[in-house]
């Protein structure tokens, strides 16, 4: 009888929001989801970054130029930076979200076994995005520098014209020329982007999976296809919401001369970008970002949920 009760409790408490005490499982599941997302979406991420920096040129032309200059491997340039950190990053995101979404849920709702309210989900997502910015900023800075280093627009650094071979080389160069402040270039814009974007992200996911499979938030019995589609739509919604800020972040974090940076700050970046290229520049590359967001976030939630389900299933067996 106790075994049956334990299994019943395991099913009702399956949702990712309610496994905040399982640090090991969260880490493994988050790592699998993150790695799957990076592998599936990095070529489109490289294209998005190039589009945001390019004054002209279609997506097809940019891809053709990348392959012509660097081969297909050029589409995966800079992947080592997020790939090396994605296990911890993704695990931390889902873990922090699980803790915060529960913290914003009333004690009576928790005692009744109810899932976090949509308000708690949004607030938990907002806090998660703000906190992860401190870790994500250096990672994305290095990734962007690597993704753009073959561009003829700007040199990778003011001290060297040679190409960097990996993320450590880029990080050392930035720290040597710009110090710790250079490593955290773009922190403010990253936080402004990620905090509200994560609120939209998790809120959309919870709403969509409940729409596609009513009752799944309470039962915890979510189909793999539900996670894929709901995760994909959550990614699309969050990217559309924050995309102009992402364009500004890319431009601020792009390679610059240390003594004469192209932009003095967020307001200066907006002013110069719009004056030189019009308001459309703030949405340049959106179609690529949307396509990538659906693929990557569907993959992340699918792999994350599947891994957790396997881990809990093995534990119960």
């Amino acid at each position: 009888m106790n075994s049956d009760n334990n299994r019943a409790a395991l099913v009702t408490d399956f949702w990712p929001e309610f496994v905040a005490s399982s640090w090991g499982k969260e880490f493994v599941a988050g790592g699998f989801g993150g790695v799957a997302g990076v592998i599936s979406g990095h070529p489109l991420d490289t294209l998005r970054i190039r589009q945001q920096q390019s004054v002209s040129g279609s997506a097809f032309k940019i891809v053709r130029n990348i392959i012509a200059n660097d081969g297909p491997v050029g589409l995966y340039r800079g992947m080592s930076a997020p790939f090396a950190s994605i296990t911890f990053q993704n695990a931390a995101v889902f873990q922090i979200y699980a803790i915060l979404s529960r913290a914003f849920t009333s004690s009576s709702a928790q005692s009744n076994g109810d899932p976090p309210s949509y308000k708690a989900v949004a607030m938990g997502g907002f806090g998660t995005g703000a906190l992860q910015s401190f870790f994500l900023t250096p990672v994305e800075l290095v990734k962007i520098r690597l993704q753009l280093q073959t561009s003829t627009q700007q040199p990778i650094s003011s001290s060297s014209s040679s190409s960097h071979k990996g993320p450590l080389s880029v990080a050392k160069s930035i720290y040597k020329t710009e110090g710790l402040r250079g490593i955290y270039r773009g922190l403010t814009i990253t936080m402004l982007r990620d905090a509200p974007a994560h609120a939209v992200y998790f809120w959309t996911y919870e709403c969509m999976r409940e729409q596609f499979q009513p009752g799944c938030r309470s039962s915890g019995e979510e189909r793999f296809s539900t996670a894929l589609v709901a995760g994909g739509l959550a990614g699309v919604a969050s990217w559309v919401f924050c995309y102009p800020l992402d364009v500004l972040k890319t431009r601020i974090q792009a390679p610059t001369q240390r003594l004469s940076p192209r932009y003095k700050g967020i307001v200066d970046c907006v002013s110069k970008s719009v004056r030189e290229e019009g308001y459309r520049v703030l949405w340049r590359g959106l179609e690529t970002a949307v396509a990538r967001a659906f693929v990557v976030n569907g993959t992340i939630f699918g792999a994350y949920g599947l891994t957790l389900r396997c881990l809990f299933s093995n534990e119960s067996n």
Side-chain angles (χ1 to χ4, degrees):
M1 180 65 70
N2 289 336
S3 177
D4 291 339
N5 290 337
N6 290 338
R7 286 192 178 91
L10 184 64
V11 171
T12 57
D13 288 349
F14 171 73
W15 335 282
E17 301 93 326
F18 277 72
V19 292
S21 60
S22 294
W23 282 92
K25 296 181 180 65
E26 283 291 305
F27 186 87
V28 174
F32 269 102
V35 168
V38 170
I39 294 174
S40 64
H42 195 78
L44 286 172
D45 185 62
T46 298
L47 174 59
R48 172 181 64 88
I49 294 297
R50 294 293 184 92
Q51 283 181 302
Q52 290 177 345
Q53 282 295 103
S54 175
V55 176
S56 61
S58 64
F60 177 77
K61 183 178 179 180
I62 292 174
V63 171
R64 187 177 61 186
N65 289 338
I66 293 174
I67 294 177
N69 294 328
D70 303 318
V73 72
L75 294 170
Y76 285 91
R77 183 179 297 279
M79 189 176 76
S80 54
F83 198 85
S85 63
I86 199 64
T87 300
F88 175 80
Q89 176 191 331
N90 224 54
V93 164
F94 279 96
Q95 189 69 62
I96 293 171
Y97 167 67
I99 293 172
L100 292 181
S101 61
R102 293 187 69 180
F104 290 119
T105 300
S106 64
S107 56
S108 59
Q110 292 191 43
S111 61
N112 293 333
D114 296 330
S117 66
Y118 291 123
K119 180 180 178 181
V121 165
M123 294 175 68
F126 188 94
T128 300
L131 290 174
Q132 85 146 6
S133 300
F134 290 97
F135 175 77
L136 188 62
T137 298
V139 173
E140 290 207 340
L141 175 68
V142 171
K143 176 181 70 70
I144 288 171
R145 298 289 175 96
L146 283 171
Q147 287 174 316
L148 293 175
Q149 76 169 0
T150 57
S151 172
T152 58
Q153 294 178 6
Q154 297 171 317
I156 191 68
S157 74
S158 59
S159 60
S160 175
S161 61
S162 61
S163 296
H164 292 282
K165 296 181 179 180
L168 288 179
S169 175
V170 175
K172 288 179 181 178
S173 175
I174 295 172
Y175 185 78
K176 182 179 179 180
T177 58
E178 303 177 57
L180 185 62
R181 185 175 181 179
I183 291 292
Y184 275 91
R185 179 186 297 276
L187 173 61
T188 302
I189 191 69
T190 301
M191 190 175 294
L192 289 174
R193 180 196 69 171
D194 283 2
H198 275 70
V200 172
Y201 180 63
F202 284 109
W203 183 87
T204 302
Y205 175 72
E206 294 297 333
C207 288
M208 288 298 99
R209 68 169 177 154
E210 187 68 20
Q211 288 292 318
F212 295 140
Q213 194 175 337
C216 70
R217 296 189 74 230
S218 298
S219 68
E221 298 177 351
E222 181 182 73
R223 293 189 296 267
F224 183 69
S225 59
T226 299
L228 285 177
V229 178
L233 292 176
V236 170
S238 64
W239 271 101
V240 170
F241 179 80
C242 74
Y243 195 75
L245 290 172
D246 185 68
V247 173
L248 299 176
K249 187 188 79 68
T250 296
R251 292 182 162 230
I252 289 172
Q253 290 186 317
T256 61
Q257 295 288 344
R258 181 176 65 89
L259 298 178
S260 56
R262 185 178 180 187
Y263 305 114
K264 298 178 181 179
I266 298 173
V267 175
D268 185 54
C269 183
V270 174
S271 177
K272 288 182 178 178
S273 297
V274 172
R275 185 171 65 249
E276 295 171 3
E277 303 172 55
Y279 284 100
R280 292 185 63 181
V281 68
L282 298 177
W283 300 97
R284 183 179 295 155
L286 176 62
E287 64 281 1
T288 301
V290 166
R292 173 186 172 274
F294 189 87
V295 172
V296 169
N297 291 284
T299 302
I300 287 176
F301 272 105
Y304 174 76
L306 184 62
T307 304
L308 271 183
R309 189 168 270 111
C310 290
L311 292 173
F312 274 87
S313 178
N314 289 336
E315 183 180 82
S316 65
N317 290 334

